[in-house]
């Protein structure tokens, strides 16, 4: 309900009630101004664009802090990444009111980010801002988010570098002996670096040839239930990993020099050192690895092995422990063989069958 009444002092008082029944009022010298304000506020209520006056002063920085408190139930690594993104967001928007952040400002901000960060990082930070402002809309702090397809910087999708088998074995040879199992787990089982560092001896069934990831470094649950999918491995890999375990005597597959559990950072340091040691060798078919080659690129090699073997996308998805086939196709779709020729041959066979039937048709 809304109304306008003249006060004893000659001013006009406009009043309305929000959806919760709370009354809001404002005074004006002229009735036409009171009516204009009242029409504006009631229109916002009807269209869902209304925000409580007490919430309109909330800044982006204040809301980020509140949002982060609720986000703290996620995994430590996920929360740590969110905090890193928020530091960047606050540098530009901390003191701005939520309602004052316009799409044009978001677009200009992402353009500035691209001057400093890689496209993938820029997109990740932008998505964090979109997530935070989207939750502000859900909480009734904003009528609508300024982030949309028009403001998005676009998600970079560079094709992953796929090492050759010769390069992978050259890396293996260049790794310290106690960390060599990590190369095997990444290249031939597709484990991520945090999974490889935390893989325990009890997580591997050496007799059946099955690796069952259960935790990731540092003794945290895996990122999803899909990541727990058992990975079948050949006897050759199981035997080589078993030999490494016997030599180290540790409780984990990958260890430090004294047989204690290692860390992802130790593995990545070894990767950088080994990467630089791998030199071109025409006889062995080894090419120099790119400077940005990292442990996760061994996982791309694992995917390439599966695809080259002719496995379909659902099998590849399962072996990589992706949540959906979409993720697999978005990352490795270009590796799957071109089916145009097969499609043409299938249709041509139908035409050939028709031609054969006409030739043998009784006259």
């Amino acid at each position: 309900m809304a109304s306008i009444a003249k006060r004893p002092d000659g001013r006009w008082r406009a009043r309305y009630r929000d959806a919760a029944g709370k009354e809001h009022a404002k005074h004006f010298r002229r009735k036409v101004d009171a009516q204009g304000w009242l029409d504006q506020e009631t229109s916002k209520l009807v269209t869902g664009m209304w925000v409580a006056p007490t919430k309109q002063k909330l800044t982006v920085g204040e809301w980020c802090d509140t949002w982060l408190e609720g986000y703290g139930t996620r995994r430590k690594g996920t929360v740590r990444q969110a905090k890193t993104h928020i530091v960047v967001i606050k540098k530009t928007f901390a003191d701005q009111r939520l309602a004052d952040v316009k799409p044009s400002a978001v677009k200009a901000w992402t353009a500035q980010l691209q001057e400093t960060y890689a496209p993938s990082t820029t997109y990740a930070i932008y998505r964090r801002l979109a997530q935070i402002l989207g939750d502000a809309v859900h909480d009734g702090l904003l009528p609508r988010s300024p982030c949309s397809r028009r403001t998005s910087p676009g998600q970079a999708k560079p094709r992953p570098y796929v090492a050759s088998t010769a390069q992978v074995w050259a890396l293996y040879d260049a790794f310290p002996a106690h960390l060599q199992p990590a190369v095997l787990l990444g290249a031939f089982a597709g484990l991520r670096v945090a999974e490889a560092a935390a893989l325990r001896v009890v997580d591997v069934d050496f007799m059946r040839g099955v690796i069952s990831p259960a935790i990731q470094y540092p003794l945290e649950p895996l990122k999803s239930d899909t990541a727990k999918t058992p990975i079948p491995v050949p006897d050759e890999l199981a035997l080589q990993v078993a030999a490494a375990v016997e030599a180290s005597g540790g409780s984990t597959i990958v260890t430090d020099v004294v047989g204690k559990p290692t860390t992802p950072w130790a593995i990545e340091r070894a990767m950088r050192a080994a990467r630089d040691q791998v030199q071109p060798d025409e006889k062995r078919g080894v090419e120099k690895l790119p400077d940005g080659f990292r442990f996760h690129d061994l996982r791309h090699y694992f995917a390439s092995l599966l695809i080259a073997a002719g496995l379909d996308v659902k099998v590849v998805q399962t072996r990589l422990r992706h949540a959906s086939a979409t993720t697999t196709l978005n990352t490795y779709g270009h590796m799957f063989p071109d089916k145009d020729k097969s499609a043409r041959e299938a249709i041509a066979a139908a035409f050939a069958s028709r031609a054969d039937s006409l030739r043998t048709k009784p006259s």
Side-chain angles (χ1 to χ4, degrees):
M1 180 180 292
S3 64
I4 299 177
K6 192 172 185 178
R7 304 277 295 167
D9 60 1
R11 295 169 65 86
W12 294 89
R13 184 185 186 188
R15 298 184 298 174
Y16 71 93
R17 292 185 182 275
D18 59 30
K22 184 177 181 179
E23 183 179 283
H24 301 273
K26 194 172 182 179
H27 297 82
F28 299 87
R29 289 186 178 182
R30 301 190 306 166
K31 183 178 181 180
V32 66
D33 295 332
Q35 187 64 57
W37 176 80
L38 194 60
D39 291 344
Q40 185 181 49
E41 295 301 307
T42 53
S43 175
K44 290 178 181 178
L45 280 171
V46 172
T47 59
M49 299 293 289
W50 185 84
V51 176
T54 55
K55 298 179 180 179
Q56 292 177 2
K57 296 181 180 180
L58 191 68
T59 65
V60 174
E62 291 169 340
W63 173 239
C64 282
D65 294 338
T66 302
W67 179 89
L68 198 55
E69 290 177 5
Y71 198 70
T73 56
R74 293 350 189 243
R75 293 188 303 112
K76 291 181 180 179
T78 303
V79 175
R80 185 166 55 248
Q81 186 180 54
K83 289 180 178 179
T84 301
H85 292 163
I86 287 174
V87 168
V88 179
I89 292 169
K90 282 186 174 182
K91 286 181 180 178
T92 300
F93 298 110
D95 297 328
Q96 293 189 33
R97 295 192 312 164
L98 285 170
D100 291 340
V101 180
K102 304 301 180 186
S104 57
V106 174
K107 200 167 183 64
W109 173 66
T110 57
Q112 293 176 354
L113 291 181
Q114 289 174 332
E115 297 177 0
T116 305
Y117 299 99
S120 57
T121 305
T122 297
Y123 182 78
I125 297 172
Y126 166 80
R127 287 303 306 160
R128 185 71 64 189
L129 176 66
Q131 180 184 16
I132 291 171
L133 295 182
D135 287 348
V137 174
H138 185 72
D139 268 21
L141 305 177
L142 266 180
R144 64 168 60 130
S145 173
C147 298
S148 66
R149 291 184 179 180
R150 292 184 177 183
T151 59
S152 174
Q155 185 175 10
K157 296 180 180 179
R159 291 186 175 182
Y161 179 86
V162 178
S164 67
T165 299
Q167 287 174 314
V168 169
W169 285 117
L171 271 174
Y172 175 84
D173 292 336
F175 254 65
H178 61 281
L179 294 177
Q180 284 180 333
V183 178
L184 301 178
L185 296 173
F188 303 112
L191 265 63
R192 303 170 179 90
V193 65
E195 296 169 344
L199 188 70
R200 301 164 300 188
V201 175
V202 295
D203 297 328
V204 182
D205 186 334
F206 294 97
M207 293 296 293
R208 294 173 55 236
V210 178
I211 295 175
S212 302
I215 57 173
Q216 63 180 346
Y217 183 89
L219 301 179
E220 291 184 353
L222 294 175
K223 59 190 300 185
S224 67
D225 288 338
T226 309
K228 299 176 183 177
T229 303
I231 307 162
V233 297
D235 293 340
E236 293 84 352
L237 177 57
L239 288 171
Q240 194 156 348
V241 171
V245 170
E246 185 177 0
S248 69
S251 60
T252 56
I253 302 297
V254 188
T255 67
D256 61 13
V257 291
V258 295
K260 300 296 183 181
T262 189
T263 67
W265 297 279
I267 296 173
E268 289 290 8
R269 282 196 301 270
M271 172 61 74
R272 290 192 292 271
R275 178 187 68 202
D276 294 338
Q277 292 179 38
V278 174
Q279 298 299 321
D281 187 335
E282 292 185 6
K283 292 183 179 180
R284 297 172 60 195
V286 177
E287 297 180 0
K288 185 172 178 58
L289 289 162
D291 292 338
F293 192 88
R294 57 201 175 113
F295 185 86
H296 197 79
D297 290 316
L298 294 176
R299 184 171 161 84
H300 300 324
Y301 168 78
F302 176 63
S304 73
L305 285 183
L306 302 180
I307 295 170
L311 302 181
D312 64 50
V313 65
K314 289 300 293 182
V315 175
V316 176
Q317 172 204 339
T318 302
R319 294 295 171 264
L320 289 172
R321 296 166 295 130
H322 283 157
S324 71
T326 301
T327 303
T328 307
L329 286 171
N330 285 343
T331 308
Y332 305 109
H334 65 286
M335 294 184 187
F336 284 89
D338 186 0
K339 298 297 184 181
D340 287 348
K341 183 179 179 181
S342 299
R344 290 191 181 100
E345 289 175 349
I347 297 171
F351 275 87
S353 176
R354 167 67 172 170
D356 290 342
S357 66
L358 291 176
R359 281 195 298 270
T360 58
K361 185 176 181 181
S363 56

